[in-house]
Amino acid sequence: MVESLFPSIENTSESSPESRRKKPRISEMAEIESRRINEESLKRWKTNRVQQIYASKLVEALRRVRQRSSTSTETDKVVSGAAREIRETADRVLAASARGTTRWSRAILASRVRAKLKKHRKAKKSTGNCKSRKGVTETNRIKLPAVERKLKILGRLVPGCRKVSVPNLLDEATDYIAALEMQVRAMEALAELLTAAAPRTTLTGT
């Protein structure tokens, strides 16, 4: 009877390391999959084709902004409003280039609707409630650990990522940074084209 107990003990001792090894493998597979997705997004934003499509769409959108600003008469409001509209247009075109596959792109595309809702909500809220809420948020910031506080700041910087898990936040941030780098490259290329065309326009007077 004593000898019959040993095989069962050996089986349990052999099966437990296998079950323990399965958990790291699952987590490793998830990490590999997330890395693969990040690498694909980085490659997509680094291609010249995506940059050219973004630049052409941005030029078309900026032309429409210029036409609308030229119709108004007040210069100060035109300059401030045009600068804000150019920035928002560049971000919307960038989000459209992502084709709504990411959370940050969908958040930017829905920014106009959210801005209108915020105006209505601000009109209803009192100033006293806003102060008390600010005090609560300040105390919560002090209590949070350093890593969690930095993750919250990162969630505010990436559009639509304030309430997501840490792996999703890192994936969205990686894709968003790659998209912003492409945006900078496209704007630099457009600026070079405009500066090269500027002397010709001044000489011809057109």
Side-chain angles (χ1 to χ4, degrees):
M1 292 180 69
V2 176
E3 292 177 358
S4 63
L5 294 173
F6 286 104
S8 62
I9 294 168
E10 289 176 358
N11 290 330
T12 54
S13 62
E14 290 176 359
S15 62
S16 59
E18 290 177 359
S19 61
R20 288 177 184 175
R21 287 174 188 172
K22 286 180 182 178
K23 292 180 180 178
R25 284 177 185 173
I26 293 167
S27 61
E28 285 173 5
M29 287 174 66
E31 288 178 2
I32 291 166
E33 183 66 20
S34 64
R35 286 176 187 174
R36 186 184 64 79
I37 293 167
N38 290 335
E39 286 175 1
E40 287 179 358
S41 66
L42 291 172
K43 288 178 182 178
R44 179 186 62 185
W45 293 117
K46 288 180 180 179
T47 56
N48 292 326
R49 184 171 176 273
V50 174
Q51 184 175 335
Q52 289 172 1
I53 292 169
Y54 171 77
S56 62
K57 288 181 179 179
L58 181 61
V59 169
E60 292 176 1
L62 291 177
R63 282 176 183 171
R64 290 194 294 268
V65 172
R66 187 178 179 183
Q67 288 174 358
R68 287 197 298 269
S69 61
S70 61
T71 55
S72 57
T73 56
E74 296 180 1
T75 56
D76 294 334
K77 290 182 179 179
V78 167
V79 172
S80 61
R84 186 177 62 254
E85 194 169 359
I86 287 168
R87 186 176 64 252
E88 290 175 356
T89 302
D91 291 338
R92 282 199 302 272
V93 175
L94 184 67
S97 300
R99 298 177 181 177
T101 55
T102 54
R103 186 182 289 269
W104 65 263
S105 62
R106 293 192 294 270
I108 291 172
L109 292 172
S111 60
R112 282 189 175 183
V113 179
R114 289 201 306 271
K116 289 179 181 179
L117 291 172
K118 282 181 181 178
K119 286 181 181 179
H120 292 294
R121 289 174 184 175
K122 283 181 181 179
K124 292 179 180 180
K125 288 177 183 177
S126 60
T127 56
N129 291 331
C130 293
K131 289 179 181 178
S132 63
R133 285 178 183 177
K134 284 180 181 178
V136 171
T137 52
E138 285 174 1
T139 54
N140 288 334
R141 285 175 189 173
I142 295 166
K143 291 177 182 179
L144 288 174
V147 176
E148 193 173 349
R149 189 167 64 251
K150 289 177 182 179
L151 287 171
K152 274 202 164 188
I153 294 168
L154 182 62
R156 292 191 191 100
L157 293 174
V158 182
C161 293
R162 291 194 176 188
K163 295 180 180 179
V164 294
S165 62
V166 175
N168 289 333
L169 175 60
L170 296 177
D171 291 340
E172 292 284 336
T174 304
D175 189 79
Y176 185 55
I177 290 167
L180 291 175
E181 288 175 351
M182 186 277 297
Q183 186 184 51
V184 171
R185 289 194 303 270
M187 287 183 171
E188 286 177 351
L190 288 174
E192 289 177 0
L193 290 172
L194 291 172
T195 51
R200 296 178 183 177
T201 55
T202 53
L203 290 171
T204 56
T206 57

